[in-house]
Amino acid sequence: MSTPEQSGRPAPPRGGEPVFLEFGQKPDEAGAIVRPDAPRTYPEEVLARLTADAEQIVARYPQARSALLPLLHLVQSEDGYITPAGIEFCAVVVGLSPAEVMAVATFYSMYRRTPTGRYLVGVCTNTLCAVLGGDEIYASLLDHLGLDGPGTTADGTVTLEHVECNAACDYAPVVMINWEFFDNQTPESARRVVDDLLADRPVTPTRGAPLGTCRDTARVLAGFPDTRPGANDTPPGGPTLVGLLTAREHGMRAPAPGSDEEV
């Protein structure tokens, strides 16, 4: 590290300590998209299939570049994570540079940077879920799966990680599997679900249809129909509606738009 005099930077105020900020990816940081084993091009038959799907997606938007987010889900459904081949494909379709596409892909956490199992198990450890048992669930699953930290089982079935809040605090602690909700979990119930996944037994989330694979979910997120029976049939549950029902019980209502009335 150079001194302020050597670098041309002004010296810190007397009595203070210099502060240097290091930008960019750290050498030991996981998650780089450019991996030695990642595909860099698609075979002709795959490229033709992806191109046909991409045309449907782009047609929904006034400008091709507006379709970038669903296109990234599309290539993730192909590879299981974002690869150089997927980045290049999206760049060509929307008319951006690969660097611009990569900047978007690395900003959003739902785009995977490393190979991911058939089932992505995310344990919410944000404040409310953590307080109600999320940290305990995560530690229990690490031990149950034989993992030292976030990662994938040796057979490639389950990838375990922390997830940020998914706005389901009324059902805490929550586990997400392929972005489907498993509400009010305990270490025991979470282990049972994971055991079912490892044994290839059908698993149904608290809300929604039986689970598909992580790649299936990515295709739905790209904008293609979710063909699982009952996928969109589950209404909000009791905890979600408590506030609304309480307000109605007490005759409470919102003021009319533009009015000055007090309610």
Side-chain angles (χ1 to χ4, degrees):
M1 181 182 296
S2 62
T3 66
E5 292 76 15
Q6 292 171 328
S7 66
R9 292 188 293 268
R14 181 175 299 179
E17 292 293 332
V19 176
F20 301 114
L21 300 179
E22 183 177 346
F23 296 97
Q25 186 173 3
K26 298 178 180 179
D28 60 346
E29 182 180 347
I33 284 181
V34 182
R35 300 168 54 86
D37 55 344
R40 283 163 170 72
T41 58
Y42 288 124
E44 288 299 322
E45 65 274 12
V46 173
L47 187 60
R49 173 164 45 79
L50 288 176
T51 299
D53 288 340
E55 288 175 353
Q56 294 184 53
I57 294 172
V58 171
R60 302 171 187 151
Y61 296 88
Q63 298 182 36
R65 66 187 298 166
S66 300
L68 180 55
L69 296 184
L71 286 171
L72 285 167
H73 284 299
L74 174 66
V75 295
Q76 183 160 278
S77 75
E78 181 65 34
D79 297 319
Y81 66 111
I82 301 297
T83 66
I87 292 288
E88 179 66 26
F89 175 82
C90 291
V92 170
V93 170
V94 301
L96 295 173
S97 70
E100 290 172 308
V101 174
M102 188 176 291
V104 174
T106 54
F107 181 83
Y108 294 102
S109 61
M110 287 181 73
Y111 299 122
R112 308 294 302 166
R113 304 189 197 182
T114 53
T116 302
R118 286 170 53 83
Y119 301 100
L120 175 60
V121 177
V123 181
C124 180
T125 53
N126 276 191
T127 305
L128 186 58
C129 279
V131 168
L132 293 177
D135 287 334
E136 184 182 359
I137 291 171
Y138 181 72
S140 176
L141 289 180
L142 282 177
D143 180 68
H144 192 61
L145 294 172
L147 298 172
D148 295 327
T152 303
T153 56
D155 63 358
T157 299
V158 170
T159 295
L160 176 68
E161 67 178 19
H162 297 272
V163 292
E164 294 298 318
C165 179
N166 283 278
C169 303
D170 40 356
Y171 296 98
V174 173
V175 173
M176 300 286 287
I177 303 180
N178 295 350
W179 306 111
E180 298 277 6
F181 291 98
F182 287 74
D183 302 328
N184 304 121
Q185 291 297 292
T186 65
E188 294 75 23
S189 66
R191 289 196 300 268
R192 286 195 297 271
V193 171
V194 165
D195 284 341
D196 286 340
L197 297 176
L198 293 171
D200 200 26
R201 292 190 286 265
V203 170
T204 301
T206 308
R207 292 167 273 167
L211 282 178
T213 67
C214 200
R215 296 191 188 197
D216 294 337
T217 303
R219 184 169 177 82
V220 172
L221 292 171
F224 291 94
D226 189 344
T227 58
R228 297 173 299 160
N232 301 301
D233 294 345
T234 306
T240 305
L241 299 176
V242 165
L244 175 63
L245 296 176
T246 300
R248 288 179 176 174
E249 180 182 344
H250 293 278
M252 301 167 65
R253 58 182 177 81
S259 73
D260 295 326
E261 66 175 314
E262 294 184 2
V263 178

